[in-house]
């Protein structure tokens, strides 16, 4: 069963090949057998999942979302009442969410079944999943490699066939980069397309939730469920949700593809470049035209991001004070001791680094020099994309400069930050992006990143789907997945 995509599973469920309970039990068994080696789940909620499957099997008049109904999935750190939602942090170890995130509510209403919470970098800060309080996740393509981050658990679980689809969030690349490293498809929607209500905040002006699955078609089904306006998130956009599945089969003839020259420069692994250029050739054979474009401010994306994201994070994380929720130190001598020791004990090293940077750049005297300047640069980066989309329909390039690197290989924070060189500007601009499997480099997957203008998700999914009709990279599985029944 696990080798099927979400769309194929839906057909099999419909034809009665197996039941929702059998399917759920199958995945739970795979998690039990394989996850000891991967560490892709922080918590597995088997009992609740089987109960949900039973409910999903009851005849219901409204089977609109047939493709996702009965389908198991896993969420990262979306609040889910009664379920542990730790966000990869000791600070929230054993924290039980009091209410539903809108994304969870929508997935529940569509009849999907939640198997548990996937592992992730602490508070979504990282590019390798090595910053998790619960230990690193292994890449199922090679257990000595990282799965990418911060949605590394979601990506590894989907690639290993422990779950057919999972949710991630992407603040600077955390859906696309792990999707690329694990050979799956991951979509970061336009900022505002999906409600952030009930998603633990990292950098509020950049965070966006999206689907991670085997195929663009699966992502189209899931995005249709989770997208839409939500009165509880004032940044979610009141705009109709198109039928993303219906839009998948538009022909690509005449599609204008831009290749940003800044995405093919120094630091790009030659094997990754080769795979991406091969993929672009496939598009040419499908009738697309290709030209080089420029995004001149690309170089400033990482510095601007590492001012804005830590600034927002330092503010968002100030709520963890040991008083209202989260970790509390033992025997505080007074209130200040309670705050400082609870935070010192509860947060990991990378989170503390970001809080320090963010607090510094927001402080009087530095605010204009850093924060205001970074916001000005952000505007220029956004304008680069808007200018490029005057001339071309989509942009293509690598999702990441290298394939998955070895666990423990990146010791200094800056080399880790550089991992997101091709993904981070997209969040600063608020546009959507998708990573699709496009080959292997040294046995490790390569992701092709496709970018579109604001609210171009339907087009991106169509462009990705057509590639997946012409190639089978997205259907390839690591040998690890085949080791379990
Ligand atoms: N790697 C980036 C960071 O550490 C992006 C993470 C993300 O998208 N959540 O902030």
């Amino acid at each position: 069963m696990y080798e099927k995509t979400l769309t194929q599973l839906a057909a099999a469920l419909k034809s009665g090949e197996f039941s929702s309970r059998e399917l759920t039990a199958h995945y739970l068994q795979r998690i039990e057998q394989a996850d000891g080696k991967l560490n892709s789940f922080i918590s597995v909620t088997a009992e609740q999942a089987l109960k949900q499957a039973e409910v999903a099997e009851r005849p219901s008049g409204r089977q609109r979302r047939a493709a996702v109904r009965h389908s198991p999935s896993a969420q990262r750190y979306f609040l889910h009442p009664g379920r542990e939602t730790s966000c990869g942090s000791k600070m929230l170890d054993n924290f039980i969410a009091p209410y539903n995130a809108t994304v969870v509510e929508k997935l529940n209403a569509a009849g999907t079944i939640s198997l548990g919470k996937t592992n992730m970098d602490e508070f979504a800060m990282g590019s390798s999943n090595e910053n998790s309080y619960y230990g690193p996740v292994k890449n199922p393509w090679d257990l000595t490699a990282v799965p990418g981050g911060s949605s590394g658990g979601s990506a590894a679980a989907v690639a290993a066939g422990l779950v057919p689809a999972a949710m991630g969030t992407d603040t600077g690349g955390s859906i696309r980069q792990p999707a690329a490293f694990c050979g799956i498809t991951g979509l970061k929607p336009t900022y505002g397309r999906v409600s952030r209500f009930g998603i633990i905040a990292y950098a509020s002006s950049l965070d966006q939730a999206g689907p991670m699955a085997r195929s663009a078609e699966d992502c189209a089904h899931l995005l249709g469920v989770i997208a839409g306006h939500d009165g509880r998130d004032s940044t979610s956009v009141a705009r109709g949700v198109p039928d993303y599945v219906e839009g998948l089969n538009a022909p690509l003839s005449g599609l204008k593809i831009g290749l940003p020259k800044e995405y093919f420069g120094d630091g790009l692994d030659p094997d990754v470049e080769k795979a991406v250029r091969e993929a672009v050739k496939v598009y040419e054979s499908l009738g697309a035209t290709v030209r080089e474009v420029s995004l001149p401010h690309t170089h400033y994306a990482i510095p601007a991001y590492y001012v804005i994201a830590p600034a927002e994070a330092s503010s968002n994380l100030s709520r963890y004070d040991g008083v209202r929720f989260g970790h509390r130190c033992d025997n505080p001598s007074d209130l200040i001791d309670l705050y400082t020791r609870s935070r010192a004990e509860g947060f990991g090293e990378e989170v503390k680094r970001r809080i320090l940077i963010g607090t510094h750049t927001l402080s009087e005297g530095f605010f204009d020099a850093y924060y205001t300047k970074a916001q000005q640069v952000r505007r220029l980066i956004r304008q680069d994309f808007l200018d490029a989309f005057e001339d071309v329909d989509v942009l293509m390039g690598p999702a990441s400069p290298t394939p998955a690197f070895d666990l423990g290989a990146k010791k200094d924070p800056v080399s880790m930050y550089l991992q997101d060189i091709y993904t981070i500007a997209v969040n600063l601009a608020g546009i959507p992006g998708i990573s699709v499997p496009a080959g292997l480099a040294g046995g490790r997957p390569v992701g092709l990143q496709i970018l579109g203008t604001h609210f171009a998700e339907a087009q991106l999914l169509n462009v990705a789907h057509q590639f997946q009709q012409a190639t089978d990279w997205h259907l390839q599985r690591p040998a690890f997945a085949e080791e379990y029944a």
Side-chain angles (χ1 to χ4, degrees):
M1 298 176 195
Y2 73 90
E3 42 330 299
K4 290 187 169 32
T5 65
L6 198 66
T7 314
Q8 291 165 338
L9 286 174
L13 283 162
K14 202 166 166 202
S15 70
E17 208 178 298
F18 41 76
S19 70
S20 183
R21 256 176 302 180
E22 284 165 332
L23 183 63
T24 303
H26 169 71
Y27 280 111
L28 288 170
Q29 191 189 355
R30 285 182 64 80
I31 295 171
E32 195 171 316
Q33 289 171 338
D35 207 42
K37 287 200 181 131
L38 288 182
N39 197 26
S40 68
F41 276 84
I42 292 177
S43 57
V44 179
T45 39
E47 219 174 281
Q48 289 104 314
L50 290 166
K51 231 181 262 161
Q52 261 186 311
E54 210 178 295
V55 174
E57 270 172 26
R58 288 190 198 134
S60 135
R62 295 200 313 135
Q63 300 254 349
R64 278 191 314 127
R65 299 287 183 193
V68 295
R69 197 171 171 80
H70 313 289
S71 299
S73 71
Q75 290 85 37
R76 222 163 72 118
Y77 57 94
F78 302 86
L79 296 185
H80 205 149
R83 312 255 177 119
E84 196 189 298
T85 309
S86 62
C87 211
S89 181
K90 179 179 179 188
M91 185 56 95
L92 288 176
D93 188 33
N94 297 322
F95 173 71
I96 305 290
Y99 60 86
N100 256 335
T102 299
V103 169
V104 171
E105 208 167 82
K106 289 187 170 204
L107 288 168
N108 283 345
T112 70
I113 291 143
S114 169
L115 302 189
K117 298 285 185 192
T118 42
N119 202 345
M120 56 183 285
D121 282 305
E122 183 176 6
F123 286 105
M125 298 176 191
S127 306
S128 68
N129 222 118
E130 292 166 296
N131 294 339
S132 169
Y133 172 62
Y134 302 91
V137 177
K138 313 274 168 62
N139 188 322
W141 288 86
D142 182 339
L143 297 180
T144 64
V146 302
S150 60
S151 306
S154 290
V158 173
L162 305 190
V163 68
M167 290 293 142
T169 63
D170 192 312
T171 304
S174 283
I175 288 176
R176 291 159 289 152
Q177 187 253 20
F181 278 15
C182 290
I184 64 162
T185 307
L187 172 76
K188 177 210 112 61
T190 306
Y191 184 77
R193 180 71 292 188
V194 176
S195 169
R196 292 182 297 108
F197 179 78
I199 297 176
I200 295 173
Y202 163 20
S204 310
S205 76
L206 302 159
D207 298 342
Q208 186 62 200
M212 305 174 78
R214 301 281 303 288
S215 67
E217 189 177 18
D218 289 358
C219 288
H221 282 293
L222 289 163
L223 182 64
V225 171
I226 61 172
H229 180 242
D230 177 10
R232 294 172 298 183
D233 171 7
S234 60
T235 61
S236 75
V237 176
R239 190 177 165 122
V241 177
D243 187 330
Y244 295 111
V245 179
E246 204 161 87
L248 290 175
N249 288 314
L252 297 189
S253 64
L255 180 81
K256 288 185 265 172
I257 298 173
L259 303 183
K261 68 169 194 262
E262 293 78 5
Y263 287 23
F264 291 88
D266 281 352
L268 176 58
D269 178 290
D271 290 337
V272 171
E273 173 164 8
K274 195 160 156 247
V276 168
R277 294 214 185 262
E278 288 294 322
V280 173
K281 279 194 203 139
V282 173
Y283 278 104
E284 284 180 302
S285 74
L286 296 174
T289 58
V290 180
R291 76 169 80 153
E292 191 181 87
V293 296
S294 177
L295 300 170
H297 297 93
T298 299
H299 185 62
Y300 301 107
I302 288 187
Y305 174 92
Y306 278 99
V307 172
I308 294 168
E312 294 183 14
S314 75
S315 164
N316 277 327
L317 269 53
S318 64
R319 73 191 70 181
Y320 304 103
D321 54 7
V323 177
R324 288 162 295 180
F325 40 69
H327 176 75
R328 178 180 294 179
C329 66
D330 287 334
N331 309 316
S333 55
D334 59 20
L335 190 61
I336 297 298
D337 186 41
L338 170 72
Y339 291 159
T340 50
R341 261 198 309 124
S342 298
R343 287 169 69 82
E345 292 167 7
F347 290 135
E349 197 185 328
E350 184 59 29
V351 174
K352 285 180 190 159
R353 179 178 295 118
R354 309 258 179 129
I355 292 173
L356 286 173
I357 296 171
T359 308
H360 177 73
T361 56
L362 290 179
S363 53
E364 203 184 339
F366 296 104
F367 187 88
D368 283 339
Y370 292 111
Y371 191 74
T372 308
K373 188 54 91 189
Q375 291 289 17
Q376 288 164 342
V377 173
R378 178 178 193 169
R379 173 54 66 128
L380 295 173
I381 287 168
R382 182 173 185 272
Q383 196 56 47
D384 278 358
F385 284 110
L386 298 184
D387 291 346
F389 290 126
E390 293 276 311
D391 297 329
V392 296
D393 300 313
V394 293
L395 297 171
M396 287 188 190
S400 165
T402 65
F405 45 88
D406 289 346
L407 282 150
K410 301 233 181 278
K411 304 249 183 304
D412 68 301
V414 175
S415 70
M416 190 69 88
Y417 297 171
L418 287 170
Q419 266 307 306
D420 300 318
I421 178 96
Y422 305 136
T423 49
I424 253 173
V426 171
N427 301 70
L428 292 169
I431 59 171
I434 190 167
S435 177
V436 292
L440 295 172
R444 297 180 184 180
V446 173
L448 166 74
Q449 182 175 224
I450 314 170
L451 307 176
T453 196
H454 296 99
F455 298 100
E457 286 82 1
Q459 184 182 38
L460 289 187
L461 289 162
N462 170 225
V463 171
H465 180 67
Q466 292 306 310
F467 180 72
Q468 296 184 336
Q469 296 301 101
T471 61
D472 69 353
W473 294 115
H474 65 296
L475 296 178
Q476 300 205 7
R477 281 260 179 224
F480 179 86
E482 327 283 336
E483 283 169 30
Y484 304 91

